[in-house]
Amino acid sequence: MAIKDMSQTRLRAWAATFFWSVSGVWFFAAFFSGGGAEEFDTDSGRHLISAAGILFGFVGYWATLWLTRRRGDEVVVDERDLQVSARASQGTLVAVLMIMFLLCTLLWMTHEADGVLAVGWMWFLAYGSMVLGLVINSVAFLILDGSMGGRG
């Protein structure tokens, strides 16, 4: 399907999937390079690289929102788009909560004997949950939109 034939909401979902996936891989690579969670909190270079990855996601998606904004009297979002978005958001909430619960439980089980958890894991949980939620939401929208006979 050509970009010009896509609905505004579908195009934005594709853009979100791209920008936030790249941002997530960028953060993941910066986080686990050079020592992982144990050294992340004291490595300002990796903080800067991680922040640049997150900034890439925000700037890319905001540019998409601006470039696909409503022009004139055209209808860009209908009731069906709103219904698909609502279902995608509900599914995203459940998925992110389950994944974060499992990740926190895994971290606890892994580090329980140590009695401490590296502060770097808090960075990972914070940035990771945000990126995970944004990617899952956009992918869920694309799947639901396609399964409900998407209009482009």
Side-chain angles (χ1 to χ4, degrees):
M1 173 178 297
I3 289 176
K4 65 182 175 81
D5 297 331
M6 285 187 201
S7 69
Q8 179 197 54
T9 313
R10 187 172 185 83
L11 181 62
R12 287 178 172 180
W14 275 111
T17 301
F18 171 75
F19 286 115
W20 288 113
S21 293
V22 170
S23 180
V25 168
W26 190 329
F27 171 73
F28 194 84
F31 184 82
F32 286 106
S33 68
E38 287 74 23
E39 297 178 20
F40 185 81
D41 61 323
T42 59
D43 191 343
S44 60
R46 285 174 42 213
H47 287 175
L48 187 59
I49 293 169
S50 298
I54 300 299
L55 181 64
F56 172 80
F58 277 116
V59 170
Y61 189 62
W62 287 335
T64 302
L65 293 177
W66 187 78
L67 292 171
T68 61
R69 67 193 181 280
R70 182 178 173 182
R71 296 187 177 115
D73 292 333
E74 65 182 303
V75 174
V76 292
V77 177
D78 60 11
E79 293 82 16
R80 191 189 135 313
D81 286 335
L82 296 174
Q83 181 184 16
V84 171
S85 291
R87 288 186 63 198
S89 294
Q90 291 168 353
T92 298
L93 177 63
V94 171
V96 170
L97 288 174
M98 286 175 36
I99 291 168
M100 295 310 295
F101 177 79
L102 291 173
L103 183 58
C104 289
T105 303
L106 180 64
L107 284 171
W108 175 74
M109 288 170 33
T110 305
H111 296 281
E112 180 184 16
D114 301 337
V116 296
L117 182 66
V119 174
W121 286 115
M122 298 301 108
W123 285 85
F124 184 79
L125 292 172
Y127 281 136
S129 62
M130 181 192 70
V131 170
L132 184 68
L134 292 165
V135 170
I136 288 176
N137 187 258
S138 57
V139 170
F141 178 87
L142 292 169
I143 291 170
L144 290 169
D145 187 52
S147 71
M148 293 177 70
R151 58 182 177 86

